[in-house]
Amino acid sequence: MSKIRADHVFTSESVGEGHPDKVCDQISDAVLDACLQKDSTARVACETAVAHDTVVNLGEITCDAWEDIDTETIARRVIKEIGYDREELLFWDKSFKYLSRLHGQSPDISQGVSEGDGLYNEQGAGDQGMMFGYATNETNELMPAPIAFSHRLLHHLTLLRKNGSIPYLRPDAKSQVSVRYVKGQPREVTTVVISHQTDEVDHELIKKDLVAAAKDVLEPTGLLTKKTKFYINPTGAFVLGGPYADAGLTGRKIIVDTYGGVGAHGGGAFSGKDPSKVDRSAAYYARHAAKTIVEAGLAGRCEIQVAYAIGVAEPLSINVDTYGTGKLEDSDLQKILESDEIFDFRPAAIIDQLNLTKPRGWSYQQTAVYGHFGRNIFPWEQTPKVHQLAETAKVKDAA
């Protein structure tokens, strides 16, 4: 059983919409959205690479009406929405070269994950591997404070950029927040780092505006102190950025996408993958189950690992770790998850329960920035089974 460290500082980072890797994640997920709108059974593994003046899509897609999907138009739309919409940025929506090397999915893989007659047991996992879900009661999002605060900062700065409040901001950005923990709970923000692409303006103005913006976001947490240090564009000028200055690839920000380095990670990326790939759907469901456990008051924090074999529906293992905060033994929580009475970790059941092939009120492109977890617009963040789980746990505890 893992233990919570008593007193330590933990740091997490986030990257903004215009970061080259995030440009790629958003394009890949926008292609996925387009495929699922045409065909809810589409099989998608879409990778994107960007560099200087070029965007490349590559991977495997099997989708009805594929001939109606224009991936170049999708890429140019996404890049314009991000804010690469004018010539002086050097990389922009009207200028880059585009190349596609997308083709059909391997029939060997398709055979193992096809649903057959529709029974949950018929659809196997799209790959082997292990996935993790995590939740903690230290923030309203039930996310670790450092990554939650880092996402909040960049989301706020994006709003200020796009509404013109800070007109000299450009799309590429990173944030980093260090939090001191005492007895397992956040007590102080020790350091804030923001590196934000800008026009050529005075560095002191940038520091003044971005520190003020950061304080607007972080002061409500009650964790800023007089000792909190702010580092704004610490190397000086940050004018050249985005894909013009640095190459990007889909799936290179898996820690930003999840829990900021807290807990474990199975290694699989999310963006550009349809939900038959358990790298994505099972990680979402593990978060869903962990969040339900914490919200039900059964643990202060919870990590769930689930493992699969390609083509096999039933998970090979489910492991629960509450870091010593559980109201029940971890083994008892594990038995509840394995029973299928409340949660069902088979791939087709996950897709059905979370409605992952027919998004309503959200899109996969939205997941590709500011983290896949911690925002209630996504179905895996909804916790309708809290009461049922709490009642089941009472019976288990009484026994």
Side-chain angles (χ1 to χ4, degrees), residues 277-293:
K277 281 76 171 173
V278 284
D279 270 352
R280 184 168 212 163
S281 55
Y284 288 175
Y285 201 68
R287 159 66 178 177
H288 172 67
K291 186 179 181 184
T292 302
I293 287 170

Side-chain angles (χ1 to χ4, degrees), residues 222-299:
L223 299 180
L224 287 184
T225 73
K226 293 180 180 179
K227 297 187 296 181
T228 301
K229 295 179 180 179
F230 292 86
Y231 295 95
I232 308 298
N233 286 6
T235 63
F238 182 10
V239 176
L240 291 179
Y244 181 83
D246 191 12
L249 292 169
T250 298
R252 285 208 300 199
K253 288 293 178 282
I254 59 176
I255 299 303
V256 171
D257 286 343
T258 52
Y259 308 102
V262 175
H265 196 295
F270 298 153
S271 291
K273 297 178 180 178
D274 76 83
S276 74
K277 281 76 171 173
V278 284
D279 270 352
R280 184 168 212 163
S281 55
Y284 288 175
Y285 201 68
R287 159 66 178 177
H288 172 67
K291 186 179 181 184
T292 302
I293 287 170
V294 172
E295 200 162 303
L298 298 178

Side-chain angles (χ1 to χ4, degrees), residues 156-224:
H156 182 60
L157 288 169
T158 297
L159 293 177
L160 296 179
R161 172 172 64 89
K162 290 187 173 182
N163 69 20
S165 296
I166 306 183
Y168 57 77
L169 293 181
R170 291 183 172 187
D172 197 355
K174 284 187 174 184
S175 65
Q176 184 173 288
V177 178
S178 302
V179 175
R180 181 179 301 281
Y181 284 77
V182 177
K183 295 182 179 179
Q185 288 299 309
R187 289 292 181 262
E188 175 191 2
V189 172
T190 62
T191 310
V192 176
V193 182
I194 299 173
S195 296
H196 209 302
Q197 186 188 16
T198 69
D199 296 339
E200 293 184 2
V201 299
D202 182 70
H203 190 228
E204 291 304 313
L205 174 63
I206 297 169
K207 288 168 63 176
K208 173 178 173 292
D209 287 346
L210 269 58
V211 167
K215 287 182 176 179
D216 286 343
V217 172
L218 296 175
E219 280 179 344
T221 69
L223 299 180
L224 287 184

Side-chain angles (χ1 to χ4, degrees), residues 33 70 80 82 84 114 116 152 161 191 211 213 260 310 356 359 383:
D33 284 326
D70 185 343
K80 183 176 182 179
I82 289 169
Y84 290 113
S114 295
R152 292 183 203 176
R161 172 172 64 89
T191 310
V211 167
I310 188 168
L356 294 180
T383 52

Side-chain angles (χ1 to χ4, degrees), residues 113-129:
V113 301
S114 295
E115 194 170 356
D117 62 6
L119 296 176
Y120 288 167
N121 279 326
E122 291 294 323
Q123 181 171 339
D127 202 353
Q128 71 176 48

Side-chain angles (χ1 to χ4, degrees), residues 1 6 37 83 96-97 187 215 220 244 280 340 355 397:
M1 178 187 295
Q37 286 170 10
F96 65 79
K97 304 181 186 74
R187 289 292 181 262
K215 287 182 176 179
Y244 181 83
R280 184 168 212 163
D340 293 342
N355 205 23
D397 191 35

